[in-house]
Amino acid sequence: MGSYDVKQEVTDKYSLRGRVFHRLRDDILSGKYGEHEELREVAIGEEMGVSRTPVREAFRQLELEGLIQIIPNKGAYVTGITEKDVKDIYMIRSLLEGLCARWATGHITREQMEEMEENVYLARFHAQKGHLEQLAELDNRFHDIMYEACDSKILEHQLKDFHEYVLRVRRKTLASAERSAASNKEHEMIMEAIKEKNADLAEKLANQHVLSAYENVVKNGLREAYHEE
């Protein structure tokens, strides 16, 4: 009984740290905390209703991810995501997204294929209506379906993390009717390649899709998204 209690305590501690970490990461990526802003353990702990320990542990994880810098005897300061970070993420993601599409051609289930087809159909409908908010949601879901279809937990986790990291800039640049229409067409072509089990074409199209998305980011708001007042 005593051994079980210890394990349960460790599990709860990890869960609490995890919740604090994800909340802080979301706040940093959404722009709640600005670049160079100090994160105060006590204030964050009070805001989240936790002790300083899980906050301190979350800080260490955030530093490992490059989102904050901990300066001894001074404090923790937000570094956030730079323009170069965004470029690096898109370049790496383009390769991983291509690999994901390749693997999806061999592992996608009938249910996943049907959901992907419905996603493309709904995106086409909302594009005609100019519903940009729904298009952004459908865009995210299309990629999630493909990530799940690749049948690799490691690749899926990595790609979803990249999505979160550039969420702020993606939200700004996806709100464009022109890019939304192009993105929908690219999704449809990727879907058809996966459906036809053409792994080479699916990989090439998915890779180019992410590169095109980055070109649009640079053209329409990368600097503004990361240098707002």
Side-chain angles (χ1 to χ4, degrees):
M1 182 68 178
S3 175
Y4 173 81
D5 288 343
V6 171
K7 289 180 180 178
Q8 186 65 48
E9 183 180 350
V10 171
T11 300
D12 290 343
K13 182 179 179 182
Y14 175 80
S15 178
L16 182 60
R17 180 192 67 185
R19 289 200 301 271
V20 173
F21 164 70
H22 285 290
R23 167 76 177 278
L24 285 173
R25 184 170 73 167
D26 288 346
D27 286 344
I28 292 171
L29 295 177
S30 70
K32 177 180 177 180
Y33 297 113
E35 192 173 354
H36 307 307
E37 184 173 346
E38 183 179 2
L39 299 181
R40 302 181 184 277
E41 285 183 11
V42 174
I44 290 172
E46 290 176 352
E47 180 184 347
M48 297 188 184
V50 299
S51 69
R52 295 177 65 176
T53 299
V55 177
R56 191 176 299 118
E57 292 171 342
F59 279 6
R60 294 194 192 102
Q61 185 64 33
L62 289 167
E63 185 175 40
L64 287 174
E65 295 207 1
L67 292 175
I68 70 171
Q69 180 182 14
I70 299 174
I71 302 176
N73 303 318
K74 288 194 68 177
Y77 298 86
V78 174
T79 55
I81 297 290
T82 66
E83 291 180 40
K84 183 181 183 302
D85 292 334
V86 173
K87 180 179 180 180
D88 290 349
I89 287 171
Y90 271 98
M91 294 304 104
I92 296 169
R93 185 183 150 208
S94 69
L95 298 175
L96 294 182
E97 196 102 6
L99 179 63
C100 179
R102 169 175 286 279
W103 287 356
T105 62
H107 297 286
I108 194 167
T109 65
R110 185 179 65 182
E111 291 77 14
Q112 289 167 336
M113 191 72 252
E114 288 175 352
E115 185 181 358
M116 187 175 281
E117 290 176 327
E118 182 180 14
N119 179 283
V120 169
Y121 172 81
L122 288 173
R124 194 182 305 134
F125 169 80
H126 286 295
Q128 292 172 348
K129 300 293 184 180
H131 299 161
L132 298 181
E133 185 175 338
Q134 288 88 339
L135 283 171
E137 293 175 2
L138 287 165
D139 179 274
N140 286 331
R141 183 55 195 155
F142 178 89
H143 289 275
D144 283 343
I145 296 168
M146 192 168 69
Y147 300 162
E148 293 159 11
C150 81
D151 196 33
S152 169
K153 292 179 181 178
I154 295 173
L155 184 55
E156 178 183 352
H157 174 75
Q158 191 66 62
L159 282 166
K160 285 186 174 181
D161 262 1
F162 281 156
H163 254 273
E164 288 184 26
Y165 267 61
V166 294
L167 185 58
R168 185 181 178 194
V169 71
R170 288 183 69 251
R171 279 174 176 163
K172 291 180 72 69
T173 58
L174 272 174
S176 157
E178 181 181 355
R179 177 54 200 162
S180 294
S183 181
N184 291 345
K185 182 61 179 176
E186 290 162 13
H187 284 177
E188 186 170 357
M189 293 169 65
I190 293 168
M191 178 196 72
E192 291 297 336
I194 292 174
K195 189 175 182 179
E196 294 170 7
K197 303 297 182 184
N198 189 333
D200 289 341
L201 181 58
E203 180 174 18
K204 179 181 178 180
L205 290 171
N207 176 277
Q208 185 56 52
H209 173 61
V210 177
L211 294 178
S212 296
Y214 177 69
E215 289 173 6
N216 179 70
V217 163
V218 172
K219 178 182 176 183
N220 293 302
L222 176 58
R223 181 170 296 276
E224 288 79 2
Y226 283 92
H227 292 82
E228 292 178 318
E229 293 186 356

